[in-house]
Amino acid sequence: MKNLLEEFPAVDKATWVAKVEKDLKGKPLEDLFWHLGEDITVAPFYHPEDIDHQTTAPLLAGRRGNDWEIGEYINVYKDVKQANTALLEGLKGGVQAPLFRLFQPLDSPRLHQLLDGVAPEMVTLNFSEHYSEKQPARLMELLLDWYLQKGVTGERANFTIDFDPILDFTEPPIDTLAAFIQSCTTQWPNARPLQVNAKTFHSGPEQVVDELALTMAKGAEYLARLTETGLDAAAINQHLQFGIAVSKSYFVEIAKFRALRLLWSNILKGYGVKGKQPFVVAHFAQESQDENPNSNMIRASTQAMSAVIGGVDRLYVLPSNRAKKEPDTPFSRRVARNLQHLLKMESHLDRVIDPGAGSYYIEKLTREIADQAWAKFQKLDQERAFN
């Protein structure tokens, strides 16, 4: 087959720059540059000469597509039946990974009531504790007992617990965490009992380099402590997830998620683990919403797209009225989940591995963020910032 592009001469970057400067009619090209923090300058356009074509190789490892789990928050207060009603509504609407935000500890009867009507092998169950006396070991015990009573074992059980000892405990119970992961390695291969909660590091696009450096330092600290207990780094990665905030800066957020995966792949290489990806869960940053639900619905589309194009594994879209501190409504929850359906069923963003690959702008921004974050991470790692 004839290559039609051969009929057109190649155009180098200098030629493009000359054309841009002519069109600007004397205005300096540098006036179109913008700065991301102190260290990154973003140009108005990029050319193949700017790109390191090795950037995307680690982003493809082990991936057969770009599918992600559709998440939804389920707040669990005293009235467990109300939470169960919201859960079943969400599951019927296509939710794949409900996140139960527990504001009171559960016991076995309340857990069974909460999960009444759930087909355990068809959904990923996720739990986070939002009370002072957290008991992740008790929660995991109850959850495993529920699975066993349902006759669901091994790889048929998919669940996570947002257990982040460094964040949640003055004296992090690393031994408890190590026991969790050891149990999962032998019996529950699709469970993730460790969350590297990096949402607290998010403070806007200008600080994206610091956000990623701190995220990597925290993840690396867990690898260091857990391998000291005898666990294998590959097993730790298999049972770990990163919780990351996604904000409003579209291209920066795409590049951030891609850079995160590059950085973590590099850290794993240091432990002899190659070809493995981090499991990344995206949550909308709280400051990304205002009190206008209509603008929030519109803005949510680009926020969700940036997370998905960046390659996240699970996404939670905030209902559009959350900033007004009102209870979620069936309508606001339905719009939030249907946005993700549109990105899959109409945009087909789940079918393309690394949709951002090949964009000179995204590739360059990914590499610059990753390089700057890696340099800062190395300093933090030497200092054992989370020790």
Side-chain angles (χ1 to χ4, degrees):
M1 175 179 283
K2 184 179 180 180
N3 185 354
L4 298 178
L5 295 178
E6 292 177 352
E7 299 181 11
F8 298 91
V11 182
D12 60 18
K13 184 175 181 180
T15 303
W16 274 111
V17 169
K19 175 62 176 173
V20 171
E21 289 176 338
K22 179 180 178 182
D23 290 347
L24 288 174
K25 298 178 180 179
K27 182 178 180 180
L29 178 62
E30 288 73 17
D31 286 357
L32 302 182
F33 287 36
W34 61 284
H35 300 280
L36 191 60
E38 298 179 355
D39 303 314
I40 299 176
T41 299
V42 184
F45 88 102
Y46 288 97
H47 186 274
E49 295 176 14
D50 296 309
I51 306 306
D52 172 7
H53 291 281
Q54 300 302 312
T55 298
T56 58
L59 302 179
L60 306 179
R63 295 176 74 91
R64 297 182 179 179
N66 193 50
D67 201 7
W68 70 94
E69 294 179 329
I70 296 174
E72 183 168 302
Y73 299 115
I74 306 292
N75 291 332
V76 184
Y77 299 99
K78 187 175 182 179
D79 187 355
V80 179
K81 288 189 66 175
Q82 184 176 0
N84 176 259
T85 299
L87 167 65
L88 297 181
E89 171 202 290
L91 295 178
K92 290 177 182 177
V95 169
Q96 299 165 309
L99 172 56
F100 300 101
R101 302 175 74 243
L102 307 177
F103 292 92
Q104 290 185 350
L106 290 175
D107 55 21
S108 182
R110 296 181 76 234
L111 177 63
H112 280 257
Q113 189 176 20
L114 175 63
L115 300 179
D116 185 39
V118 173
E121 68 277 12
M122 301 295 292
V123 64
T124 301
L125 301 177
N126 310 278
F127 295 83
S128 61
E129 298 177 283
H130 296 265
Y131 38 82
S132 56
E133 298 297 326
K134 298 183 178 182
Q135 299 177 309
R138 176 58 177 160
L139 178 58
M140 187 157 176
E141 178 186 353
L142 291 170
L143 186 57
L144 296 183
D145 184 64
W146 179 82
Y147 274 113
L148 292 172
Q149 290 187 41
K150 295 292 183 180
V152 174
T153 58
E155 62 184 15
R156 296 169 60 209
N158 293 271
F159 65 89
T160 72
I161 295 176
D162 289 356
F163 181 30
D164 188 344
I166 291 175
L167 175 66
D168 296 330
F169 295 86
T170 305
E171 297 292 333
I174 299 299
D175 289 343
T176 300
L177 176 59
F180 282 2
I181 294 176
Q182 184 62 50
S183 172
C184 291
T185 300
T186 56
Q187 301 178 61
W188 309 95
N190 292 329
R192 297 182 185 274
L194 168 60
Q195 176 185 224
V196 180
N197 185 346
K199 299 189 293 292
T200 56
F201 302 144
H202 176 78
S203 56
E206 291 78 13
Q207 280 72 48
V208 64
V209 169
D210 291 335
E211 178 183 352
L212 286 181
L214 289 166
T215 301
M216 292 302 102
K218 190 176 186 181
E221 183 67 23
Y222 277 124
L223 282 179
R225 294 197 193 189
L226 289 168
T227 52
E228 289 174 357
T229 70
L231 287 171
D232 178 70
I236 298 167
N237 184 64
Q238 175 66 25
H239 300 292
L240 170 155
Q241 65 179 3
F242 287 91
I244 308 294
V246 55
S247 192
K248 298 179 289 187
S249 188
Y250 182 69
F251 289 108
V252 173
E253 294 298 325
I254 294 173
K256 179 179 78 176
F257 285 109
R258 297 176 85 246
L260 184 153
R261 291 160 57 206
L262 288 172
L263 292 166
W264 189 246
S265 174
N266 211 32
I267 290 172
L268 290 176
K269 281 184 184 178
Y271 286 87
V273 180
K274 297 181 180 180
K276 297 296 183 181
Q277 295 274 338
F279 192 94
V280 181
V281 182
H283 304 261
F284 275 26
Q286 295 291 339
E287 78 279 359
S288 63
Q289 284 198 342
D290 57 34
E291 294 192 357
N292 186 332
N294 293 323
S295 63
N296 290 337
M297 282 189 281
I298 295 170
R299 191 182 302 115
S301 62
T302 54
Q303 284 184 259
M305 282 181 65
S306 62
V308 167
I309 293 173
V312 302
D313 299 283
R314 184 183 305 136
L315 174 61
Y316 293 91
V317 175
L318 279 177
S320 58
N321 64 332
R322 180 64 62 87
K324 297 179 72 174
K325 302 188 184 304
E326 298 175 347
D328 301 338
T329 66
F331 175 76
S332 65
R333 290 195 300 271
R334 180 166 62 87
V335 170
R337 79 176 74 99
N338 282 355
L339 169 58
Q340 300 200 53
H341 290 313
L342 289 171
L343 295 179
K344 289 192 181 192
M345 297 179 182
E346 294 193 10
S347 301
H348 304 302
L349 289 175
D350 58 327
R351 299 186 182 183
V352 182
I353 302 175
D354 192 16
S359 164
Y360 308 142
Y361 182 87
I362 292 174
E363 295 278 23
K364 183 68 173 179
L365 191 56
T366 298
R367 174 53 64 187
E368 292 199 357
I369 290 174
D371 288 346
Q372 295 293 336
W374 182 255
K376 290 197 173 185
F377 155 70
Q378 289 181 306
K379 294 179 181 179
L380 292 170
D381 192 50
Q382 291 174 357
E383 298 168 357
R384 294 293 294 268
F386 290 94
N387 190 352

